[in-house]
Amino acid sequence: MATAEQPRVRARIIHPLLVRIVHWINAFAIVCMVMSGWAIYNASPLFGFDFPRWATLGGWLGGAIAWHLAAMWLLVANGLIYIGYGVLAGHFRRHFLPLRPRDLLRDTRDALTFKLAHQPGIYNAVQRLMYIVVLLLGVLVVASGLSIWKPVQLDALADLFGGYDTARRVHFVAMAGIVAFVVVHLALVLIVPSTLLPMLTGRAPRHARDKTAKQEQQA
């Protein structure tokens, strides 16, 4: 029961339901695409290494391709929904912009010295840059993937990448960039675990609401 000393604070929605749904669908689709993609890579390696079998999906080349294509269409459909929502509802404008060089330098310095403050529902400049980059990498990985999936039918697209072999390398680099984003993203969740629950419930964590209540008391 709320008192004068401890006012009730309504739980603030910081992640709308649609954002949470597309986030978890993207997470599933990306894992499937990366693991099946590694199995496809192992069938014809670009570089002098293979991915361990336990980190691949599909069992064999045909199975891996089937998983990869299924996850690709799921990722594309889900991505289009997210982009449409981000543009029409102002999600991108509110959360990813503006991205100023001075803010990026400041937040990067604070992050490297473990002094970067986290505010639920507010992206700092480093997070804004990471999300913008991973969205661009998503477009690049899909475009390069289509060009190596249908190099004859989509020869104009393959030519934009400099041919089939170059498109494969672009696809691999874009995939590696997305994996790097996921690793950093998971590391940040481990460092600040309170960010996980809001992505499930949509609501600000309790400590953030308590801080709001304290601010209301002092006002």
Side-chain angles (χ1 to χ4, degrees):
M1 182 176 179
T3 65
E5 291 76 19
Q6 190 177 26
R8 178 186 293 272
V9 179
R10 180 177 297 177
R12 180 167 59 95
I13 299 297
I14 59 176
H15 297 306
L17 179 60
L18 181 61
V19 171
R20 283 177 277 146
I21 291 174
V22 297
H23 173 273
W24 292 111
I25 292 177
N26 270 347
F28 172 76
I30 287 173
V31 169
C32 290
M33 287 204 69
V34 168
M35 294 181 68
S36 59
W38 287 349
I40 296 169
Y41 168 92
N42 284 350
S44 180
L46 281 168
F47 308 104
F49 65 88
D50 290 340
F51 291 98
R53 185 175 177 82
W54 58 262
T56 63
L57 179 66
W60 62 297
L61 180 58
I65 292 174
W67 270 99
H68 204 65
L69 293 178
M72 178 196 73
W73 291 120
L74 176 62
L75 185 69
V76 168
N78 197 56
L80 289 175
I81 292 173
Y82 178 64
I83 291 173
Y85 169 81
V87 173
L88 297 177
H91 174 71
F92 293 161
R93 174 178 50 80
R94 290 193 307 272
H95 294 287
F96 299 161
L97 299 173
L99 184 60
R100 304 183 184 93
R102 65 175 182 273
D103 295 337
L104 183 59
L105 290 173
R106 181 199 62 215
D107 289 349
T108 300
R109 183 186 63 247
D110 290 347
L112 293 175
T113 55
F114 301 98
K115 296 178 181 178
L116 185 60
H118 174 74
Q119 296 177 277
I122 299 176
Y123 296 160
N124 58 59
V126 175
Q127 289 174 307
R128 292 179 182 185
L129 178 63
M130 287 178 58
Y131 279 104
I132 291 172
V133 169
V134 81
L135 284 173
L136 295 176
L137 286 175
V139 173
L140 185 61
V141 81
V142 169
S144 58
L146 289 173
S147 71
I148 60 180
W149 176 43
K150 298 290 186 180
V152 175
Q153 296 89 336
L154 301 175
D155 61 322
L157 182 59
D159 289 342
L160 286 177
F161 290 104
Y164 178 85
D165 290 335
T166 303
R168 282 194 68 197
R169 285 168 170 77
V170 171
H171 192 68
F172 184 92
V173 170
M175 176 276 300
I178 293 174
V179 171
F181 168 84
V182 171
V183 170
V184 173
H185 187 64
L186 293 177
L188 292 176
V189 171
L190 291 175
I191 294 172
V192 189
S194 60
T195 58
L196 177 60
L197 189 59
M199 191 48 73
L200 296 171
T201 65
R203 295 174 174 82
R206 180 177 295 276
H207 69 82
R209 301 200 296 271
D210 292 343
K211 182 178 180 181
T212 302
K214 184 178 180 180
Q215 291 172 340
E216 289 180 355
Q217 278 186 292
Q218 295 172 346

